[in-house]
Amino acid sequence: MNEGGKITKIPLSERKATFREVSLGFTEKEALKEAQRCLQCKNAPCIKGCPAGIDVREFIRLIRNKDYRGAINKIKEANNLPGVCGRVCPQEEQCQLACVLNKTGSPIKIGYLERFVADWELQTGSIASHHRVSKDIKVAVIGSGPAGLTCAADLSREGFSVYLFEGLHIPGGVLVYGIPEFRLPKDIVEREVSYIRSLGVKVITNFVVGKTKTLDDLRREGFKAFFISVGAGFPRFLGIPGENLNGVYSANEFLTRVNLMKGYLFPEYHTPVRVGQKTIVIGGGNVAFDCARSALRLGCSEVKIIYRRTKREMPARDEEIDNAEEEGIILEFLVSPREIISDREGNVKAIMCIRNKLGEPDSSGRRRPVPQEGSEFVMEADTIIVAI
Ligand code: SF4
């Protein structure tokens, strides 16, 4: 139930052993109750808080009237990925932060309402399409992550002939290889891609622009414009000793093995992902939490996240931090890694860290971590995931 503003989740006892989506979202009754709380404010600051400019007030009004088709169409005027955004947008820093009901400590759960109508559309099986007649101008969108999907859909709605090129075998980019099933089910991404196809976008997978064909090749084939949305696929490392040891992953590699290659279903799927009994994840964003919670579900008995600042500065969503703590992930604050330590066979056996204190704010506006020399200490680990 939605009493007290809480969202129903699958039982905690199941969560550690399943990649099923954790949050169950609103039932119809809960969605209607939440929509009724909306004050339908005259100036609706929630709309300005939405980076996509969704008419939040109006789609909530339509939900109140049980006009769910109208509500999803209203959202899609501004946002082609409602099932995704209703789940993974940081609404608490955007539309919900702007909601006047923040003054009461209980803003409207706009993201959950968006998700509700997106899922309603999925369940009814009728996806509205707004395909227009083509202008017969070919445009190539390179990379099918959220930016590419959005650009392709918008251009197609404007009548361009859009080809969406994806290097991997499945479209979706970071939505499929980066975000785990327990936060964003793959069938939701597939549904969004189906909708974008229904707008007339031609999706071409296993096609690496620059290798399969160059931009010049595509130009010769009649493409008039290119939108390059290839994301941030390269991992970043810390530059500390021991990062080449067996058992050290970049978050990109770890999550790709788990999410895209379904490593958690080995041997049914042939991409094993090894975690030992003690995993340490370095970082403080959503990606770090995705890694930690995936490691737990892969059978790791102790998972820690180490972060160089405090919980207050953590960039991860509060909801994900709460979920991780409920699941038993241990959070270590004001800690920075110094060296990853090897056993005799080149495997990770421990990590040496140093404790920090917070100093003055840096260019990000957050207080800078200042290492406290002499506070070094060692933590045992057999898997390290770098998620910075
Ligand atoms: Fe409703 Fe909040 Fe937007 Fe006002 S600011 S219209 S209460 S969602």
Side-chain angles (χ1 to χ4, degrees):
M1 277 299 295
N2 184 30
E3 296 295 336
K6 287 213 182 312
I7 298 294
T8 310
K9 303 175 189 176
I10 61 171
L12 192 51
S13 55
E14 281 178 38
R15 274 164 52 186
K16 294 179 188 176
T18 178
F19 276 78
R20 262 181 65 207
E21 187 172 23
V22 165
S23 167
L24 297 177
F26 280 146
T27 61
E28 181 178 14
K29 193 171 158 202
E30 290 166 347
L32 288 169
K33 187 174 171 190
E34 186 68 358
Q36 288 299 343
R37 288 205 305 121
C38 173
L39 304 175
Q40 291 289 292
C41 309
K42 202 168 167 204
N43 61 350
C46 49
I47 300 173
K48 293 188 198 82
C50 172
I54 294 173
D55 189 340
V56 175
R57 176 182 56 194
E58 180 61 9
F59 99 74
I60 294 178
R61 189 188 69 77
L62 291 161
I63 292 177
R64 285 155 70 127
N65 293 344
K66 296 194 182 182
D67 180 359
Y68 307 133
R69 166 59 59 210
I72 189 69
N73 285 346
K74 179 54 65 181
I75 293 170
K76 284 185 172 178
E77 285 175 8
N79 181 4
N80 299 296
L81 306 171
V84 169
C85 293
R87 286 172 166 82
V88 299
C89 267
Q91 296 102 8
E92 61 283 359
E93 293 169 15
Q94 299 173 340
C95 52
Q96 287 175 199
L97 183 65
C99 175
V100 295
L101 288 175
N102 256 304
K103 290 180 196 144
T104 68
S106 188
I108 299 294
K109 288 191 167 61
I110 299 166
Y112 274 97
L113 289 175
E114 182 181 21
R115 168 182 166 166
F116 168 73
V117 282
D119 290 354
W120 170 87
E121 187 182 46
L122 177 67
Q123 279 150 21
T124 57
S126 59
I127 293 178
S129 168
H130 307 272
H131 189 204
R132 290 192 194 170
V133 177
S134 171
K135 291 174 178 159
D136 209 22
I137 299 172
K138 275 168 79 176
V139 176
V141 175
I142 302 162
S144 69
L149 289 171
T150 299
C151 177
D154 284 350
L155 290 176
S156 192
R157 288 163 88 156
E158 292 299 320
F160 292 94
S161 177
V162 184
Y163 290 71
L164 178 58
F165 294 99
E166 168 56 50
L168 295 172
H169 59 291
I170 304 173
V174 70
L175 303 175
V176 289
Y177 71 72
I179 305 181
E181 187 82 15
F182 53 78
R183 210 152 68 82
L184 179 62
K186 301 294 165 279
D187 60 356
I188 299 296
V189 182
E190 270 173 40
R191 187 270 311 273
E192 307 282 49
V193 172
S194 296
Y195 168 68
I196 283 157
R197 281 195 165 106
S198 79
L199 297 174
V201 173
K202 282 139 275 322
V203 179
I204 298 156
T205 52
N206 293 313
F207 193 109
V208 181
V209 174
K211 286 204 183 330
T212 315
K213 283 187 181 174
T214 64
L215 288 183
D216 282 341
D217 293 334
L218 295 176
R219 260 189 211 104
R220 280 191 286 275
E221 289 177 16
F223 285 92
K224 299 289 184 218
F226 301 88
F227 180 76
I228 299 175
S229 46
V230 291
F234 284 113
R236 283 178 62 205
F237 281 96
L238 295 153
I240 61 171
E243 281 188 298
N244 290 325
L245 294 173
N246 297 326
V248 180
Y249 291 94
S250 70
N252 298 48
E253 180 192 353
F254 182 75
L255 290 175
T256 300
R257 279 173 180 267
V258 173
N259 297 327
L260 186 69
M261 311 308 289
K262 302 227 183 311
Y264 60 94
L265 296 177
F266 180 80
E268 187 186 338
Y269 285 79
H270 298 284
T271 306
V273 55
R274 188 190 78 104
V275 290
Q277 287 307 303
K278 293 192 175 196
T279 293
I280 291 181
V281 181
I282 302 163
N286 289 323
V287 171
F289 281 83
D290 287 345
C291 291
R293 296 173 68 202
S294 295
L296 190 79
R297 284 158 172 78
L298 288 167
C300 191
S301 56
E302 182 186 281
V303 185
K304 289 182 181 169
I305 292 178
I306 61 174
Y307 179 55
R308 59 196 183 135
R309 295 182 166 99
T310 71
K311 195 176 198 176
R312 195 189 169 104
E313 290 83 24
M314 265 189 153
R317 297 184 72 186
D318 289 348
E319 187 175 336
E320 301 313 325
I321 298 173
D322 291 346
N323 282 335
E325 287 190 304
E326 283 168 12
E327 290 166 13
I329 308 286
I330 301 162
L331 307 183
E332 298 268 2
F333 298 109
L334 292 168
V335 170
S336 292
R338 277 280 163 106
E339 180 178 351
I340 302 170
I341 301 165
S342 168
D343 67 8
R344 288 171 182 222
E345 276 134 22
N347 302 307
V348 172
K349 104 172 168 182
I351 184 166
M352 198 214 308
C353 298
I354 189 164
R355 298 204 185 276
N356 299 318
K357 280 190 177 167
L358 288 185
E360 294 303 309
D362 61 16
S363 57
S364 73
R366 294 173 299 170
R367 292 178 65 193
R368 184 190 304 273
V370 182
Q372 301 299 293
E373 294 307 328
S375 69
E376 290 85 351
F377 65 102
V378 170
M379 285 191 277
E380 276 183 36
D382 44 27
T383 306
I384 302 284
I385 305 172
V386 182
I388 54 171

